[in-house]
Amino acid sequence: MARRPDAGAGYAGRPAAVTSHFLRQALLLAALAFVPAIGQAIYFRERVSWQSPIPPSEMVTVRQARAWGADVIWVDARPEEDFTHDHVPGAILLNEDRWNELLPPFLATWSPEKKVVVYCSTQSCNLALEVARRLRNEAQLKDVYVLQGGWEEWLKQKK
Amino acid sequence: MKNPKLSLFIVSGLLALGLISPASAALKWEQTTLDLYPAVGDKDAVGHFKYQNTGDKPVRFKSVRTSCGCTVAQTQKDVVPPGEKGEITATFHIGDRTGAQMKTVIVETDDSAPSVTLTLKATIPQLLEIKPTFVFWQANESPTAKTVNVTASKDFPVPQIKVTSSNPDFQTKVEKVGKGEFKIDIQPKTMTKPSSTALTIQPENSSKVFNVSASVMAAPVVPAVVNPAATWHVVPTPAPVTPAVPQP
C-alpha cells in the first residue's frame, strides 16, 4: 500500500493546513455556542429589559431612605388588602391593579424636589420594580427608588 | 445484555432522559409554560396547566404558591391517584397592566421531585401608548404648552381621540400627526397658584379611557437664611434687672 509522503507527520510543515483546521474548529465552536443563545433569545423574546435586575443606583436601603426624612414620598406597591392591614406611615397606595385610578392622587402629592421610594413585599418583589419603572418611563419622574428588602426589611428595622 | 457496563450505561441514559422511571409517584406536566394573548378589555388571563400522575403512588399537593397577588392558582383536587389526570388553573387579574407580563406558580408535591415552576407569559395589548402621562410646570416657569404624544396600537386603529380636562384652568389642543398618532398640547391659563388637572383620553371607537395628569407646582418653600453679617451687630440682651426689694 502506497504511503503518502506526509502521512504520520501531523501538521508539521503545513502551517496553512493547521490554520485552516483550527479556523474550522473555531467556527464550529462559535456556531455551537450560538445555538443556545439563539434559543434563549427566541424563548425570552417577550421579556423586556426592565425585567432584568435593576441597577444598584436605583435601589435604596431603609437607612438611606429614612435619612431623607420629609423629602421622601413612600409608595406602597402591594395589593390593597396588605396596604390596608399595615404600611409605612404616610405611604401612598399605588399598584398596577388600579394604576389609572391611583396615579393621579399620588401625583397630587409629588413635587420635583421629593424622592420617591417604592416598596412591596419580598414575596412579590416585582411589584415595586414595575411601579418604579412606570413612574420613570411613563410619568417620567426622576429620583424614583426601590426599597431593598421591601416591607419586611422596613418592619425589621422598625424594631 | 452480556456487557454489564453497557447495560448500566444505557439504563442510566434512559433514566436521565426520563424515558423510564423507577417505581414512584410523579406528576408529568403537559406544559410548564403557557403563552396567553388576552384581548383588549379582558379582565383576566387564564392558563390551564395539565398534568398526569404517571407513577404508581398517589401524589398530594403540599402547596401551590403564586409570584404575585394578582394571580390565583387552583388545584382541582388535593390528591391525584396513579394514572389520573388533572389541571391547575392559574388566573391572572390583568388590572391596569400592559405589555409583556410573566407570572409564576410554584407547585410542591409530596413526591420525591423538586418543586415545579409553572409560568404564565401574558402579552397584554396596549390600545394607546401615552408618553409622558404627567407634565408639570414649576412656579417660576413660563406657562408654555407641553406636549403629550399618543400612539395607537397597530392592531387597533384609532381614527380620533377625545380629550377632556377636569380643570378649566388648563386648555388642551389635539392634533393628529399621523396614522394613529396624536399630539396633545396642554397649557395652564394661569401660573399664579398651584393647580392640577386630570385629562381623560378616549379613543373614538372604544369605551376605554386613559389618563394624563398635569400640575402647576407650588413655589418651593425657601428656608429662612440667617444673614451672617447680622450676627456681628447683635446687641446682647441686658440681664433682667431685678427690682430692688425694699429692705424691711
Side-chain angles (χ1 to χ4, degrees):
Chain A
M1 197 168 136
R3 187 181 163 86
R4 283 165 54 197
D6 60 347
Y11 291 109
R14 292 193 302 154
V18 173
T19 311
S20 162
H21 175 78
F22 282 116
L23 195 64
R24 270 205 308 276
Q25 277 197 334
L27 284 173
L28 182 67
L29 284 172
L32 284 173
F34 260 109
V35 172
I38 291 166
Q40 194 178 22
I42 293 168
Y43 185 76
F44 291 111
R45 65 192 180 280
E46 302 296 346
R47 292 191 71 176
V48 284
S49 58
W50 51 262
Q51 285 170 319
S52 308
I54 63 167
S57 60
E58 291 167 4
M59 301 289 287
V60 67
T61 62
V62 172
R63 184 177 288 186
Q64 280 172 308
R66 276 180 158 175
W68 290 334
D71 290 337
V72 172
I73 302 177
W74 291 90
V75 170
D76 193 321
R78 298 176 301 158
E80 188 168 3
E81 50 270 31
D82 294 345
F83 175 81
T84 309
H85 182 253
D86 199 5
H87 55 260
V88 172
I92 294 168
L93 176 68
L94 178 59
N95 59 41
E96 288 197 296
D97 293 333
R98 293 191 292 131
W99 179 264
N100 293 335
E101 187 188 332
L102 298 172
L103 184 62
F106 159 75
L107 291 172
T109 64
W110 180 87
S111 57
E113 69 279 4
K114 298 243 179 186
K115 293 176 171 69
V116 178
V117 177
V118 190
Y119 68 89
C120 58
S121 167
T122 48
Q123 300 294 317
S124 51
C125 56
N126 277 340
L127 301 179
L129 301 183
E130 295 188 22
V131 165
R133 178 192 66 84
R134 291 185 77 166
L135 289 177
R136 283 191 210 106
N137 294 356
E138 294 177 18
Q140 299 192 346
L141 301 189
K142 289 175 183 166
D143 291 334
V144 179
Y145 302 88
V146 171
L147 188 69
Q148 271 180 28
W151 169 245
E152 286 78 6
E153 189 61 28
W154 164 270
L155 281 179
K156 207 188 290 176
Q157 301 219 10
K158 197 175 107 179
K159 287 170 188 168
Chain B
M1 275 182 232
K2 286 179 182 175
N3 187 341
K5 278 186 181 171
L6 182 65
S7 331
L8 186 66
F9 177 75
I10 291 169
V11 170
S12 308
L14 289 171
L15 276 169
L17 290 168
L19 296 176
I20 59 170
S21 58
S24 68
L27 287 189
K28 190 175 177 186
W29 297 87
E30 259 182 37
Q31 280 176 303
T32 54
T33 300
L34 291 175
D35 289 299
L36 303 174
Y37 299 93
V40 172
D42 279 2
K43 292 195 179 337
D44 300 316
V46 184
H48 302 275
F49 293 97
K50 294 183 177 173
Y51 59 77
Q52 183 177 13
N53 183 354
T54 54
D56 54 7
K57 289 178 186 169
V59 174
R60 180 183 296 275
F61 287 108
K62 279 162 71 182
S63 72
V64 178
R65 290 177 285 124
T66 59
S67 62
C68 168
C70 56
T71 309
V72 178
Q74 282 182 317
T75 56
Q76 291 172 322
K77 49 192 114 184
D78 292 336
V79 180
V80 187
E84 204 156 291
K85 293 180 177 180
E87 67 175 40
I88 284 184
T89 308
T91 306
F92 165 44
H93 302 298
I94 295 169
D96 288 332
R97 293 167 184 81
T98 57
Q101 301 283 330
M102 195 168 71
K103 305 296 167 195
T104 54
V105 179
I106 298 161
V107 180
E108 280 185 305
T109 54
D110 65 353
D111 62 10
S112 54
S115 62
V116 173
T117 301
L118 308 172
T119 307
L120 271 187
K121 290 163 79 178
T123 306
I124 300 159
Q126 193 173 7
L127 192 56
L128 293 184
E129 188 189 337
I130 301 170
K131 229 170 189 178
T133 53
F134 175 55
V135 288
F136 68 94
W137 290 260
Q138 298 275 24
N140 53 2
E141 208 175 325
S142 67
T144 49
K146 298 208 172 184
T147 303
V148 169
N149 296 301
V150 179
T151 309
S153 162
K154 283 175 187 155
D155 302 329
F156 305 96
V158 174
Q160 195 52 261
I161 56 170
K162 185 183 160 193
V163 179
T164 47
S165 171
S166 66
N167 184 344
D169 287 344
F170 289 80
Q171 57 189 19
T172 58
K173 192 178 98 182
V174 183
E175 190 186 337
K176 188 169 183 175
V177 290
K179 193 181 173 189
E181 288 180 20
F182 306 89
K183 196 175 93 168
I184 307 170
D185 284 335
I186 309 164
Q187 191 169 18
K189 288 180 183 168
T190 175
M191 298 286 288
T192 52
K193 60 179 193 308
S195 57
S196 62
T197 185
L199 300 180
T200 307
I201 303 169
Q202 186 174 13
E204 194 183 72
N205 51 350
S206 168
S207 59
K208 190 160 173 60
V209 291
F210 300 83
N211 299 311
V212 167
S213 297
S215 295
V216 172
M217 295 291 157
V221 179
V222 181
V225 178
V226 178
N227 182 359
T231 57
W232 299 347
H233 304 285
V234 171
V235 178
T237 311
V241 178
T242 312
V245 179
Q247 294 296 320

